[in-house]
Amino acid sequence: MSEELNEKEKAFLKIKELFTQYMESKGMRKTAERFAILKEIYLSQRHFDVESLYLLMKEKNYRVSRATIYNTLDLLVECNLVSKHQFGNNVAQYEKSYGFKQHDHAICTVCSKVLEFCDPRIQNIQKMVEEIYGFKIMTHSLNFYGVCNSKKCQEKANV
């Protein structure tokens, strides 16, 4: 009996196919560890760093090294399945990117919480820059830094 795949499963199969094609085009090995990392990233609903992904995978009894995670993340960034951010601290943050709307970030400078938001006015500015200056924008990044609404963070920052 064949069950119909739900939308998330269909989307993940497409993502896995894109990753497979990318690795094949580069003559790279398609390992179970790389696909497990991809799966965990696309199950995630938030930004993550290498250490949190490593701990999550260890908790789920995957046998992957930090080096494998770093190398796989580099591949996923190269093939546009993951975005890498540097939000003002020394730790790179990542998020899945395939099939997700362009969005921007507000980052708390006290607790490092990341808030995602989308405002259509930013798209209008982008279109205006393209029309007036003939500049083809491929992607953009807008980050606001401040203090989140946590009482603890506001007290610590004296706001």
Side-chain angles (χ1 to χ4, degrees), residues 14 21 41 51 61 64 69 87-88 92 104 113 145 149 153:
K14 175 65 176 170
Q21 289 172 357
I41 289 169
E51 189 64 18
N61 295 318
V64 294
I69 291 174
F87 291 134
D104 300 291
K113 176 182 176 181
Y145 294 89
N149 62 359
C153 288

Side-chain angles (χ1 to χ4, degrees), residues 5 12 20 27-28 42 44 49 54 62 67 73 81 92 109 113 120-122 131 135 144-145 151 158:
L5 295 176
F12 183 73
T20 300
M28 302 176 125
Y42 272 84
S44 173
D49 59 29
Y54 174 75
Y62 287 109
L73 284 170
L81 294 176
T109 57
K113 176 182 176 181
R121 293 174 293 182
I122 296 168
E131 290 172 5
F135 192 88
F144 291 108
Y145 294 89
K151 186 174 181 172
N158 293 320

